[in-house]
């Protein structure tokens, strides 16, 4: 016993005062773990008539006490306060697992006051126990600025209230953990579906990191990759902006792998540090990192990088399932990246084949060599100036490669005829856009938007084009874009039936045909683009 302690003789359960029995029933009505404690402190005030009642939980991962519920005097704003070991008499209850009643708390050297001013007060603290008898924390009451006396009946009532709260809290924690696990499973399933829909490596990694942060509660996460020379650099990062800036300052530039990341790269195994600032191998400049965990990222069986999570505010628990979660997400990243690489290879092969096909087609038509490459380059530049997205630009590029594929169905004599075409020949020539559309209609890898470029790039804004006589915005956007660059390059090129035009004359012709043959807004953008390239 220390100065001011009072010895307690607790009465049998059958002799308990009625408020304590009622308190147990009320606690069981709580709707959440937090609700358990808030009900407790309010009931404690009612039972003891004290000035303030608190619930303080022991956080073993930090070896700290955290105030999680408060009622009564100075309770507003008290929740969240933390006490290091030795700060506050509640540590005596945590360490002993016994009830503590102090007649003069102000005489205790380890007493801590919410008001930060010592004054005469009684203190009563009882342990919160789980069903196995482990101490979860402390429920306390004090009589600051009150003449109320706390005695054995109050201690007995609060002790049973604390026991009921411990059972209810444990039950709610188990339920919340089960719900958390269910949410993790659901989130991982959703992540897998999301990753299947992504093709760009950065999009894949960002999506996975956001899921990890959502599931773990860490403040920032990222991926560090290793280049051919063995240097590491930060590739992608997600999380709180301020945390990202601190991490980027340390990891963005290529550097020799060290610290936690270096250990993962060397060992190929996950690494975790709960108290990073006390870790002997911590990076000297990483003064804001409190808890860190990292797992290897592999491709083709080789470690090529590291996925990491950091908590920058305080040390946090590292439950075993966190490492499993990170390894699961890393595996999903690896699978998605491998699929992306395969798709990228397929895409590159397909792009090369389509471009080669376009160049073969132009050779049949006696067109100036390079027409396909030139119109593709012009179309993409114009598409970017118009703000088209990546998918639209891909469709436009493929349409440029294949715009005259239907000419394989046109006889060479007609394609190479040096003079004007008669009506029958013109109709046969114009048929090539329909043939091209029909040839590719059954090819599942050719999107509709690509076939629209092929079919409609000879339509006119005024409706006098072919094959369907579409007008204005009835003509698909990509076909309207491509028709401008196709005609422009044709005007610049020498053909059997005409000489090459100068750029100035060709641009003047586009300007004259804006609003009749071409979409006037697209012509305006194209001419502005050409002007900027010339200046």
């Amino acid at each position: 016993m220390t100065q001011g302690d009072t010895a307690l003789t607790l009465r049998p359960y059958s002799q308990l005062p009625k408020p304590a029995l009622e308190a147990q029933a009320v606690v069981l009505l709580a709707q959440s773990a937090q609700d358990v404690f808030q009900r407790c402190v309010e009931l404690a005030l009612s039972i003891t008539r004290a000035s303030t009642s608190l619930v303080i939980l022991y956080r073993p991962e930090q070896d700290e006490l955290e105030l999680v519920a408060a009622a009564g005097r100075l309770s507003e704003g008290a929740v969240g306060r933390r006490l290091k070991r030795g700060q506050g008499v509640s540590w005596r209850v945590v360490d002993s697992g016994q009830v503590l009643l102090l007649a003069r708390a102000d005489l205790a050297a380890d007493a801590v006051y919410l008001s930060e001013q010592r004054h005469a007060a009684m203190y009563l603290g009882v342990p919160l126990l789980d069903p196995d008898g482990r101490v979860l924390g402390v429920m306390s009451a004090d009589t600051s600025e009150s003449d109320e006396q706390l005695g054995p009946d109050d201690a007995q009532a609060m002790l049973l209230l604390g026991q009921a709260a411990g059972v209810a809290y444990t039950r709610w924690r188990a339920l919340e953990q089960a719900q958390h696990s269910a949410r993790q499973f659901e989130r991982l399933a959703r992540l897998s579906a999301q990753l299947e829909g992504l093709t760009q490596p950065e999009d894949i990694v960002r999506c996975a990191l956001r899921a990890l942060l959502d599931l773990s509660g860490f403040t920032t996460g990222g991926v560090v990759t290793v280049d051919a020379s063995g240097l590491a650099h930060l590739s992608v990062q997600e999380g709180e902006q301020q945390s990202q800036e601190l991490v980027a300052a340390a990891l963005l530039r290529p550097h020799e792998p060290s610290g936690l990341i270096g250990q993962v790269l060397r060992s190929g195994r996950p690494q975790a540090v709960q108290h990073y600032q006390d870790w002997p191998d911590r990076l000297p400049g990483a003064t804001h990192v409190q808890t860190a965990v990292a797992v290897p990222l592999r491709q083709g069986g080789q470690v090529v990088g590291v996925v990491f999570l950091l908590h920058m505010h305080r040390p946090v628990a590292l439950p075993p399932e966190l490492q499993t979660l990170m390894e699961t997400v890393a595996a999903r990243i690896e699978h998605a990246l491998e699929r992306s690489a395969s798709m990228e290879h397929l895409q590159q092969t397909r792009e090369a084949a389509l471009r080669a096909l376009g160049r073969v087609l132009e050779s049949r038509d006696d067109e100036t060599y390079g027409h396909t490459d030139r119109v593709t380059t012009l179309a993409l530049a114009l598409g970017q100036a118009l703000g088209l997205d990546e998918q639209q630009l891909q469709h436009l590029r493929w349409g440029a490669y294949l715009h005259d594929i239907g000419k394989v169905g046109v006889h060479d004599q007609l394609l190479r005829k040096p003079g004007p075409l008669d009506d029958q020949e013109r109709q046969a020539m114009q048929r090539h856009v329909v043939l091209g559309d029909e040839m590719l209609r059954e090819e599942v890898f050719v999107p509709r938007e690509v076939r629209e470029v092929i079919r409609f790039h000879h339509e006119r804004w005024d409706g006098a084009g072919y094959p369907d006589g579409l007008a204005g915005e009835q003509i698909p956007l990509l076909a309207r874009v491509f028709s401008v660059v196709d005609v422009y390059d044709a005007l610049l090129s020498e053909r059997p039936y005409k000489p090459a035009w100068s750029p100035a004359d060709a641009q003047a012709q586009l300007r004259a045909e804006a609003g009749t043959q071409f979409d006037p807004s697209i012509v305006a953008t194209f001419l502005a683009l050409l002007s900027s390239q010339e200046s």
Side-chain angles (χ1 to χ4, degrees), residues 61-111:
E61 59 273 11
Q62 294 93 20
D63 195 31
E64 291 180 348
L65 299 179
E66 181 183 2
L67 202 160
V68 298
R73 181 177 175 274
L74 299 178
S75 61
E76 186 175 353
V79 173
R81 184 171 181 177
R82 289 174 174 265
L83 300 174
K84 297 185 179 299
R85 177 163 289 279
Q87 294 180 337
V89 293
S90 294
W91 278 105
R92 302 190 204 176
V93 181
V94 170
D95 292 337
S96 68
Q98 302 296 316
V99 175
L100 176 63
L101 179 61
L102 302 179
R104 290 286 305 275
D106 56 305
L107 300 180
D110 52 351

Side-chain angles (χ1 to χ4, degrees), residues 426 430 433-434 455-472 474-475 483 513 516-518:
R426 185 175 297 104
Q430 291 177 354
V433 295
V434 176
R455 184 182 183 96
F456 300 122
H457 71 278
H458 284 296
E459 298 285 4
R460 291 172 54 101
W461 185 258
D462 60 8
Y466 64 88
D468 300 313
L470 302 182
Q474 291 178 328
I475 307 168
S483 68
E513 293 292 341
T516 53
Q517 183 172 353
F518 307 114

Side-chain angles (χ1 to χ4, degrees), residues 95-279:
D95 292 337
S96 68
Q98 302 296 316
V99 175
L100 176 63
L101 179 61
L102 302 179
R104 290 286 305 275
D106 56 305
L107 300 180
D110 52 351
V112 173
Y113 283 73
L114 290 178
S115 65
E116 298 184 354
Q117 296 179 351
R118 287 179 175 265
H119 41 72
M122 296 191 72
Y123 169 88
L124 173 60
V126 300
L128 296 175
L129 304 174
D130 70 9
D132 295 324
R134 289 187 291 265
V135 177
L136 300 170
V138 180
M139 183 168 60
S140 68
D142 65 70
T143 61
S144 297
E145 298 188 5
S146 168
D147 295 330
E148 190 66 42
Q149 296 294 305
L150 300 175
D153 286 349
D154 298 305
Q156 183 76 71
M158 282 188 60
L159 181 62
L160 288 180
L161 177 59
Q163 291 172 344
V167 171
Y169 174 60
T170 303
R171 180 194 66 190
W172 276 107
R173 279 190 63 186
L175 177 60
E176 289 168 356
Q177 184 60 43
Q179 292 172 335
H180 178 68
S181 297
R183 286 195 298 271
Q184 279 194 342
F185 181 81
E186 180 184 359
R187 185 68 176 89
L188 286 173
R190 191 163 69 250
L191 172 64
S192 297
Q194 290 171 331
L195 293 181
E196 286 298 317
L198 299 175
T199 58
Q200 297 302 312
E202 182 172 333
D203 293 339
I204 290 168
V205 175
R206 287 194 182 281
C207 180
L209 284 176
R210 286 193 289 268
L212 265 180
L213 292 172
D214 180 36
L215 290 168
S216 69
F218 276 60
T219 56
T220 188
V223 170
V224 167
T225 54
V226 182
D227 61 24
S229 62
L231 296 179
H233 62 92
L234 182 65
S235 297
V236 181
Q237 192 179 187
E238 287 287 335
E240 293 180 357
Q241 186 60 39
Q242 185 177 9
S243 297
Q244 287 193 52
E245 292 171 358
L246 292 169
V247 174
L251 300 179
L252 192 57
R253 294 181 179 180
H255 57 279
E256 290 288 345
S258 58
L260 194 71
I261 289 171
Q263 287 194 5
V264 175
L265 290 173
R266 287 190 296 272
S267 68
R269 295 192 302 271
Q271 303 289 334
V273 179
Q274 183 177 358
H275 297 279
Y276 187 83
Q277 294 305 314
D278 298 331
W279 187 47

